[in-house]
Amino acid sequence: MRRRRRRDIIIELTSLLDVIMIIIFMVMKENSRMIVDKQNALNSAQQVNSEQAAQIDDLSGKADELSEKLAEAQGKLDEGGAEELLEKLQAAENKLASYEAIDDVVIVLNIGLENKYNNTVRCLTFGKTSEQSEVCENHNDDEFDVSLNKMKVFVTDHIQKVLDDAENQTIVYVVFTYDSHKVYQRDYEAVGNALAEAESKANNGNFRYRINPIAG
């Protein structure tokens, strides 16, 4: 009986050891997986930190470069940049005065026609060379016809100046500029016919117009 019991005990201990070894193996395997996962996470964090550090260095370099450019610009301004700006302003004022002087002899009218934004907007501009032009943006035929009538009134007012000049010294010169690749044929003909009619109405060599096509 004793031998039997000892054998039973040995068998039971052997089975228990097998279970313990399996558990130990599973624990070791799980620990290895956790270590690998943590190492991967650590590597990813280190890579992110390296990229952020590189971005910070890049931004710092750009900030330094911008500071240098600003310092250079300030230096140029201190050395005479303001004087150069004043000279340009004076030149612009002289140019404007020249235009105004020309207006005393010859009145130059500019008329422009173009399409914008993939032909969704038809733009008609008109005005004197020395003044701000009126810009009319049109989305359909009705709007364009309204703008065309405004232009006709503008031109007619200057025709009247020619006709009212008893000394025949007022000269009006119209330049019609358009891009043949960016306008509708209907719009071009409408403006051209209006100018031809105006010239005929003036019946005076002191009112003339010229068509100025530009390449697309």
Side-chain angles (χ1 to χ4, degrees):
M1 291 293 291
R2 287 181 182 176
R3 290 180 182 176
R4 228 165 173 193
R5 286 180 183 175
R6 287 179 182 176
R7 193 181 320 151
D8 292 343
I9 291 172
I10 292 172
I11 292 173
E12 290 175 0
L13 289 174
T14 301
S15 300
L16 181 60
L17 288 174
D18 290 341
V19 172
I20 292 173
M21 291 298 295
I22 291 173
I23 292 174
I24 292 173
F25 176 76
M26 292 177 64
V27 171
M28 292 176 63
K29 184 176 181 181
E30 180 64 20
N31 286 340
S32 298
R33 185 188 66 79
M34 292 176 63
I35 291 173
V36 171
D37 291 343
K38 289 183 179 298
Q39 186 63 44
N40 291 336
L42 179 60
N43 292 338
S44 298
Q46 289 176 343
Q47 183 178 358
V48 171
N49 288 337
S50 298
E51 292 175 354
Q52 290 178 344
Q55 291 176 355
I56 291 173
D57 292 340
D58 183 53
L59 290 174
S60 178
K62 290 181 178 179
D64 293 340
E65 181 181 356
L66 180 58
S67 297
E68 291 177 1
K69 290 183 177 180
L70 288 174
E72 181 182 355
Q74 183 63 44
K76 290 182 178 179
L77 184 60
D78 294 338
E79 292 174 1
E83 183 178 352
E84 182 180 354
L85 291 175
L86 288 174
E87 289 178 356
K88 290 183 178 179
L89 179 60
Q90 185 63 48
E93 291 178 350
N94 292 339
K95 190 174 182 180
L96 178 59
S98 299
Y99 283 145
E100 291 174 348
I102 290 175
D103 278 346
D104 292 338
V105 181
V106 179
I107 300 175
V108 180
L109 309 181
N110 290 320
I111 296 176
L113 181 65
E114 65 174 326
N115 287 10
K116 297 181 178 180
Y117 319 121
N118 294 326
N119 293 329
T120 57
V121 175
R122 296 137 73 181
C123 188
L124 176 63
T125 62
F126 53 89
K128 294 175 64 174
T129 301
S130 58
E131 298 177 356
Q132 183 71 31
S133 297
E134 180 170 352
V135 180
C136 302
E137 294 188 344
N138 314 281
H139 297 82
N140 53 53
D141 290 345
D142 291 338
E143 291 183 1
F144 182 83
D145 290 342
V146 171
S147 300
L148 181 65
N149 288 332
K150 289 182 179 179
M151 186 211 75
K152 289 179 179 179
V153 171
F154 172 76
V155 173
T156 300
D157 289 342
H158 288 83
I159 292 176
Q160 196 60 43
K161 292 180 180 180
V162 173
L163 298 177
D164 291 343
D165 185 3
E167 297 180 358
N168 200 31
Q169 294 182 354
T170 302
I171 300 174
V172 177
Y173 194 69
V174 183
V175 180
F176 172 32
T177 303
Y178 75 101
D179 186 340
S180 59
H181 298 283
K182 292 184 179 180
V183 298
Y184 292 125
Q185 182 67 23
R186 170 193 182 275
D187 298 348
Y188 163 75
E189 291 179 351
V191 175
N193 292 338
L195 294 178
E197 182 180 350
E199 188 177 62
S200 175
K201 183 185 298 183
N203 193 24
N204 188 318
N206 288 354
F207 181 91
R208 292 176 292 174
Y209 78 94
R210 179 174 67 87
I211 296 179
N212 179 35
I214 59 176

